[in-house]
Amino acid sequence: MTEYERWLSVELDDPDLKEELLSVKDQPEEINDRFYRDLAFGTGGLRGVIGAGTNRMNVYTVRKATQGLANYLNKHNTEGKLLSVAIAHDSRNKGVLFSKESAAVLAANGIKAYLYPQLMPTPALSFAVRHLHCDAGICVTASHNPAKYNGYKAYGNDGCQVTEGMADGIMAEIEALDIFADVKKIPFEEALASGKAEYIGEETVNAFIDAVYGVSILGKPADNLKLVYTPLNGSGKMCVLRILDRIGVKNITVVPEQSEPDGNFPTCPYPNPEIREALQKGLDLCKTVKPDLLLATDPDCDRVGIAVNQHGEYVLMTGNEVGILLLNFIAQCKTELGTMPKDPVAVTTIVSTDMVNGIAKDYGIEIRRTLTGFKYIGDQIALLESEGHPERYLLGFEESYGYLSGGYVRDKDAVDGSMIICEMASYYKEKGMTLVDAINVLYEKYGYYKNALCNFAFEGEDGMKKMNSIMDHLRHNAPAEIAGFKVVGDSDYQLSVRTEGAEKTEITLPKSNVLEYRLENGSKLIVRPSGTEPKIKIYLSGKGKTAAESDEIIAKMEKAATELLGL
C-alpha cells in the first residue's frame, strides 16, 4: 500500500497509469497483485501484464530495467569503448513506446541505441546484435502470451539471451535503483537528433534475409508447393514472405484477418502456434484454398507451427514431430548431396523427444542435450565455432516449435524454420509423400514416441507460493511409480543429481528447477515451472509399439500428472 500511495503521489508521464491506479483504489487484492513484488528479471528478461504497478509492464519498469542494463554494461566496460545496444519490437501493445523509452535511457547513460524502425522478428534482433557489433540487445516482446502481456528480452553481445550470470548481475543493478529517482533519460527525439540513437537500415534487414537463405538445404526451387500462411497479427509477414519468395514458393495465401500487426490479437486470444485455436482461421481458409501446408508464426516470429494436408484433412504436427522430420531431412539431403560434415552435431533440450536418438545413430550424428531455453543451444553453436568447426552444426530444436539450422543467429528463428519446413515439404511432395507420410515411416522404423504437455496455472502471489510448495514437495518425495509404471530413474537439475537405482551421478548442465522421472517402459515425465509465465509445465513422453499403445500411455500419464501435483 505504501508503494501504491507513492505511485499515486508522483506525477506520472503516462496518464493511463494514474487513471488505472485510481480505478483499483477499493480493491486491496488487485493493489497487492500489482505491488507485492517487482517484476522479476531473469534469463528471459521481463514479462508481465501491461499496466500500472511494480509487478506490471509499463514505462517505469522498462526504464528501470534498462537503467540496470546500462549500469551493468558501463561497470563492465573496462576498455572505455563506446557501447551500443540493438533494440527491436514486435506487434505488442506499447511495443514502440517501450523501445523508444529503452533507447532514451541508454542514450542518457552514454550508450548508443540502434533501433529497427519497423516491427521485426526476435531472431532479427539476435542477428543485429552481432551484425552491428553491439554489446547487448533488447527485444520488446511477450512471444506467444495473450494480448494483455508484453515483455523485454535481453541479449548479450553473442546474440544469445543473457545467461544466468549476466541476468543476476543486471538484476542486482536493477534492485539497487529507485524506480523514479535513479533512472536517467533524455527525450527520444533528442537522442535521435544527437546521434545517440539511430535507426537500423535496410542493409541489416537484407543481410539477415541473405543469412537465412545461406542455410537453404535443397539448392533448388521449392516451387511445387501451395501454402496458406498466417503471421498471427505479429512480426513475421515481411521476412517470411521474402524468404519463401527466395526459395521459389510463390503460391501463398495469407490469412486476411491475421495478416496485419495487431497487439490485441482479435481472432486468436492466445497467439501460440502450438494450439489449434490460434490456427483456426488458417484451417478455415484451408478448406477453400486447399494448400499442401498451413504455416503459422507466433507474434515475435521465433516459433512456427504447421498443419499438413493429408487426403483433404489438415493434420497439426507437434514441435517434436517437426524436429524429428527436420533432423532426418537435413541428414538425408546432406548425405545425398555429399555435403554432410565430419562429426555432425544436433542440439536439442532435455524435455524434447528421445526419438532423435535413433535417427542420430543411423547418420552418425552427435546429439547434445541442453536445458530448456534456446540460449543454451546457442551456446553449443558458439562452442563449435570456437573450436573452429561451425560446419558440424546441423540443427537445433525445441519441442516448443523452435528451430534453427544455421549459426548466423543465436536464437530460434521461424523465418529459417518456415524456409526449411517448406523445402522439406517440397522434397517429400516430389516423392509423392506428405510430411504425415514421412513421420509415419519414421515411427515405423524407430518406434512410436508420442509427447504431450500439461500446463497448470498458478496466478498471483498465492499461486507463486503454491508452485514453490509443489516443487519442494516433489523434490523431497520422489514418486515410486507413475501411471502404473515403476520409476527407474530420477534427475534433479537443481541439485545436479541423477539417480538410477542405488547409483548417483552428477548432471553437468547449469542448475535449473527441473525434475525428471524415467519409467520402466521407456517413457518419461518432466516437471518444470515456466520461466516466463505463472505455471508449472509437465512434459510427457510415451513410447509404445503402436500409435494406439503410445496414445494410451500418454492418456494414463496425463491423469497421473494432475495427481502428482496434488491437484
Side-chain angles (χ1 to χ4, degrees):
M1 285 302 298
T2 303
E3 191 65 7
Y4 170 68
E5 295 291 348
R6 186 164 84 105
W7 276 58
L8 276 179
S9 69
V10 171
E11 189 175 336
L12 302 174
D13 52 19
D14 183 343
D16 293 348
L17 300 182
K18 178 64 70 75
E19 188 177 325
E20 197 176 312
L21 289 173
L22 289 171
S23 73
V24 300
K25 63 183 173 60
D26 297 322
Q27 302 174 46
E29 288 186 10
E30 180 67 23
I31 292 171
N32 182 65
D33 188 56
R34 291 168 182 269
F35 289 97
Y36 82 92
R37 66 168 188 166
D38 288 346
L39 201 60
F41 186 98
T43 55
L46 300 174
R47 191 173 299 184
V49 174
I50 301 167
T54 57
N55 189 32
R56 293 288 187 269
M57 283 292 295
N58 53 65
V59 290
Y60 295 100
T61 51
V62 167
R63 288 171 188 164
K64 184 180 179 184
T66 308
Q67 184 66 54
L69 174 63
N71 288 354
Y72 177 88
L73 292 174
N74 281 325
K75 185 177 285 188
H76 290 79
N77 184 18
T78 54
E79 299 172 8
K81 67 172 187 170
L82 176 63
L83 300 174
S84 62
V85 174
I87 304 173
H89 69 276
D90 64 8
S91 62
R92 292 272 163 185
N93 291 330
K94 294 192 181 288
V96 175
L97 174 64
F98 293 165
S99 297
K100 289 181 176 180
E101 290 297 315
S102 298
V105 171
L106 292 169
N109 284 274
I111 299 172
K112 180 154 186 173
Y114 291 99
L115 301 88
Y116 277 111
Q118 74 276 59
L119 76 171
M120 288 293 287
T122 287
L125 181 277
S126 175
F127 182 83
V129 169
R130 302 175 76 228
H131 187 70
L132 299 172
H133 308 290
C134 293
D135 301 281
I138 298 166
C139 192
V140 178
T141 174
S143 190
H144 55 283
N145 282 59
K148 66 180 181 178
Y149 285 85
N150 207 332
Y152 177 109
K153 291 181 181 178
Y155 289 74
N157 63 3
D158 57 356
C160 281
Q161 285 190 53
V162 294
T163 59
E164 283 86 352
M166 187 172 175
D168 290 346
I170 296 169
M171 187 65 189
E173 296 293 341
I174 294 170
E175 288 176 341
L177 299 170
D178 180 87
I179 197 166
F180 298 121
D182 296 335
V183 176
K184 303 174 191 171
K185 69 179 288 284
I186 61 174
F188 174 73
E189 294 304 327
E190 180 185 322
L192 209 56
S194 65
K196 293 175 181 175
E198 181 182 320
Y199 282 122
I200 295 171
E202 193 64 21
E203 181 272 334
T204 300
V205 180
N206 292 337
F208 169 63
I209 298 296
D210 288 345
V212 177
Y213 184 67
V215 295
S216 166
I217 301 296
L218 280 186
K220 63 178 182 178
D223 54 6
N224 59 343
L225 279 190
K226 185 178 185 181
L227 292 185
V228 165
Y229 167 60
T230 172
L232 296 179
N233 299 117
S235 63
K237 182 179 173 183
M238 183 266 287
C239 288
V240 169
L241 293 183
R242 281 185 64 178
I243 199 63
L244 294 182
D245 182 69
R246 286 282 286 273
I247 65 167
V249 182
K250 309 292 185 183
N251 194 345
I252 305 173
T253 303
V254 180
V255 177
E257 301 95 331
Q258 298 173 340
S259 173
E260 299 308 311
D262 187 338
N264 295 314
F265 309 112
T267 60
C268 52
Y270 201 79
N272 183 351
E274 297 179 60
I275 61 174
R276 174 176 285 273
E277 289 82 356
L279 306 188
Q280 195 57 53
K281 286 291 181 186
L283 291 168
D284 292 344
L285 187 58
C286 286
K287 293 174 185 174
T288 53
V289 175
K290 297 181 171 51
D292 300 299
L293 207 62
L294 166 65
L295 202 68
T297 54
D298 69 342
D300 68 326
C301 195
D302 62 355
R303 302 169 192 246
V304 55
I306 62 171
V308 179
N309 186 346
Q310 186 72 359
H311 312 306
E313 295 294 321
Y314 284 85
V315 179
L316 272 64
M317 304 199 76
T318 69
N320 276 313
E321 288 177 323
V322 174
I324 290 160
L325 282 167
L326 286 174
L327 181 62
N328 186 76
F329 163 68
I330 291 169
Q332 190 170 328
C333 280
K334 284 185 176 291
T335 300
E336 290 171 357
L337 296 168
T339 56
M340 188 69 139
K342 185 182 178 187
D343 303 320
V345 172
V347 192
T348 190
T349 70
I350 59 172
V351 301
S352 299
T353 179
D354 287 343
M355 189 169 164
V356 293
N357 298 341
I359 297 167
K361 184 179 179 183
D362 282 353
Y363 284 102
I365 300 167
E366 177 191 349
I367 293 289
R368 297 184 182 180
R369 297 247 176 203
T370 71
L371 294 178
T372 306
F374 222 88
K375 58 182 165 287
Y376 299 113
I377 295 175
D379 287 343
Q380 291 300 316
I381 300 172
L383 183 61
L384 291 170
E385 283 191 0
S386 71
E387 293 168 350
H389 292 288
E391 79 288 348
R392 291 179 62 195
Y393 174 74
L394 294 184
L395 177 71
F397 83 91
E398 292 180 321
E399 49 70 43
S400 54
Y401 294 53
Y403 318 102
L404 179 66
S405 67
Y408 58 93
V409 292
R410 295 288 188 270
D411 212 338
K412 52 188 175 283
D413 182 5
V415 184
D416 170 52
S418 297
M419 176 183 75
I420 54 175
I421 287 169
C422 287
E423 289 193 313
M424 178 170 67
S426 173
Y427 174 86
Y428 282 112
K429 188 175 182 181
E430 275 197 351
K431 297 177 181 294
M433 298 170 67
T434 68
L435 295 183
V436 173
D437 295 331
I439 194 68
N440 285 336
V441 168
L442 296 179
Y443 280 141
E444 285 292 325
K445 183 174 183 180
Y446 296 106
Y448 284 84
Y449 289 79
K450 292 297 178 78
N451 298 82
L453 174 63
C454 301
N455 287 298
F456 300 89
F458 300 85
E459 295 287 348
E461 183 178 13
D462 289 342
M464 292 293 288
K465 290 177 181 175
K466 179 72 172 173
M467 284 172 62
N468 292 335
S469 172
I470 288 171
M471 293 303 295
D472 187 59
H473 176 77
L474 287 175
R475 182 157 278 119
H476 295 97
N477 300 275
E481 69 166 32
I482 295 173
F485 300 106
K486 183 181 176 183
V487 175
V488 295
D490 65 87
S491 302
D492 188 330
Y493 289 86
Q494 186 73 53
L495 301 179
S496 301
V497 175
R498 178 171 285 116
T499 304
E500 293 183 57
E503 186 179 348
K504 292 184 183 292
T505 54
E506 182 185 1
I507 297 171
T508 57
L509 296 174
K511 293 182 183 299
S512 184
N513 191 13
V514 178
L515 299 170
E516 175 182 292
Y517 306 104
R518 289 192 171 268
L519 311 184
E520 60 185 338
N521 64 340
S523 301
K524 68 179 179 182
L525 179 150
I526 295 177
V527 186
R528 170 182 167 262
S530 170
T532 55
E533 300 169 87
K535 62 173 63 170
I536 288 178
K537 296 183 174 186
I538 295 191
Y539 302 82
L540 308 175
S541 175
K543 182 189 177 187
K545 296 188 179 78
T546 65
E549 184 181 337
S550 293
D551 289 339
E552 186 180 334
I553 291 168
I554 287 291
K556 288 179 180 177
M557 291 175 73
E558 284 178 330
K559 183 173 182 292
T562 304
E563 296 167 357
L564 191 66
L565 298 191
L567 301 175

